[in-house]
């Protein structure tokens, strides 16, 4: 498995392209659909799925266009549906969400999702938003963390729908993962569970 990182949009959101055996999946296509398509073409792969860690516009605004261009399916947690439909919200519109994102499949806690042929377990980690999820592969020792956990920081819980106590409970769950697990956050550089357990003062 290889992971390409594409910072997209005004907030430098990390869009990840997972490539494995001529298959691909895209995590959080937040903007810049053309550069995502170009990166996929560079790898000579067509994605089979788009996974959304949560419904904020900077993570999802290019999802509908990418689905149209590639025919892949969009998978998201239903609790963030109100954000995926928030095209009348001014900030969401500024971030490019001009068209509601209608998922093809719903994420649920502890379910298994397939990213480019690799099994990931869905960890529902509400707090940043009600429908925030992380995707964990025990075989690859990889976690896509969305805006729940960052290198040296944790997600905001002061936006509408956020809840600090809930976020801390979700982070407590991530703490149980092995130290060597690589964490791919929604913004900023990658890290590991072990590094954050040692040095993240918010965790
Ligand atoms: Zn967010
Ligand atoms: Zn974000």
């Amino acid at each position: 498995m290889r992971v390409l990182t594409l910072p997209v949009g005004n907030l430098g959101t990390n869009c990840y392209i997972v490539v494995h055996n001529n298959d691909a999946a895209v995590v959080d296509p937040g903007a810049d659909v053309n550069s995502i398509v170009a990166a996929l073409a560079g790898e000579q792969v067509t994605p089979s799925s788009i996974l959304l860690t949560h419904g904020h516009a900077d993570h999802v605004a290019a999802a509908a266009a990418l689905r149209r261009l590639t025919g892949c399916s969009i998978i998201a947690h239903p609790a963030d549906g109100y954000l995926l439909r928030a095209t009348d919200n001014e900030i969401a519109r500024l971030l490019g969400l001009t068209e509601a994102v209608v998922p093809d499949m719903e994420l649920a806690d502890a379910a298994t999702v397939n990213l480019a042929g690799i099994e990931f377990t869905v960890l529902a980690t509400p707090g940043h938003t009600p429908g925030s999820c992380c995707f964990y592969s025990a075989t690859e020792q990889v976690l896509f963390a969305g805006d729940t956990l960052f290198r040296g920081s944790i997600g905001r819980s002061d936006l509408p729908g956020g809840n600090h106590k809930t976020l801390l409970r979700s982070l407590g769950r991530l703490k149980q993962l092995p130290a060597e697990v690589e964490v791919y956050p929604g913004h900023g550089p990658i890290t590991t569970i072990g590094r954050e357990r040692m040095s993240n003062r918010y965790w």
Side-chain angles (χ1 to χ4, degrees):
M1 181 191 84
R2 284 184 306 125
V3 180
L4 278 65
T5 305
L6 239 65
V8 296
N10 295 332
L11 302 179
T13 303
N14 287 330
C15 169
Y16 294 111
I17 299 177
V18 180
V19 181
H20 178 67
N21 289 345
N22 297 321
D23 196 357
V26 179
V27 178
D28 289 356
D32 304 342
V33 71
N34 291 336
S35 54
I36 298 170
V37 168
L40 290 161
E43 296 291 322
Q44 297 182 303
V45 288
T46 305
S48 46
S49 53
I50 295 171
L51 270 86
L52 304 178
T53 60
H54 64 295
H56 279 152
D58 62 311
H59 295 255
V60 311
L66 186 61
R67 173 172 56 191
R68 250 196 318 276
L69 290 168
T70 63
C72 67
S73 51
I74 298 176
I75 314 174
H77 194 286
D80 273 8
Y82 74 104
L83 291 167
L84 299 176
R85 295 185 293 270
T87 52
D88 53 352
N89 175 296
E90 197 179 334
I91 295 167
R93 286 189 69 86
L94 280 172
L95 290 167
L97 190 70
T98 52
E99 157 182 23
V101 178
V102 182
D104 303 288
M105 262 160 59
E106 293 188 340
L107 293 167
D109 188 47
T112 299
V113 284
N114 186 307
L115 277 88
I118 298 163
E119 281 201 349
F120 279 72
T121 302
V122 178
L123 304 174
T125 49
H128 175 65
T129 65
S132 282
C133 289
C134 296
F135 308 122
Y136 171 58
S137 165
T139 48
E140 300 285 336
Q141 295 283 280
V142 159
L143 179 80
F144 292 101
D147 285 358
T148 297
L149 177 64
F150 301 113
R151 180 154 161 176
S153 185
I154 60 172
R156 293 175 65 160
S157 54
D158 59 334
L159 299 168
N163 184 303
H164 190 63
K165 260 194 194 152
T166 310
L167 178 65
L168 292 181
R169 203 177 314 132
S170 293
L171 285 162
R173 247 184 119 183
L174 298 184
K175 239 180 201 171
Q176 313 302 318
L177 297 175
E180 51 279 6
V181 170
E182 283 195 312
V183 178
Y184 289 80
H187 302 266
I190 69 167
T191 183
T192 64
I193 292 290
R195 180 192 161 101
E196 295 314 307
R197 272 207 299 250
M198 297 281 289
S199 61
N200 189 327
R201 67 194 179 95
Y202 301 99
W203 199 19

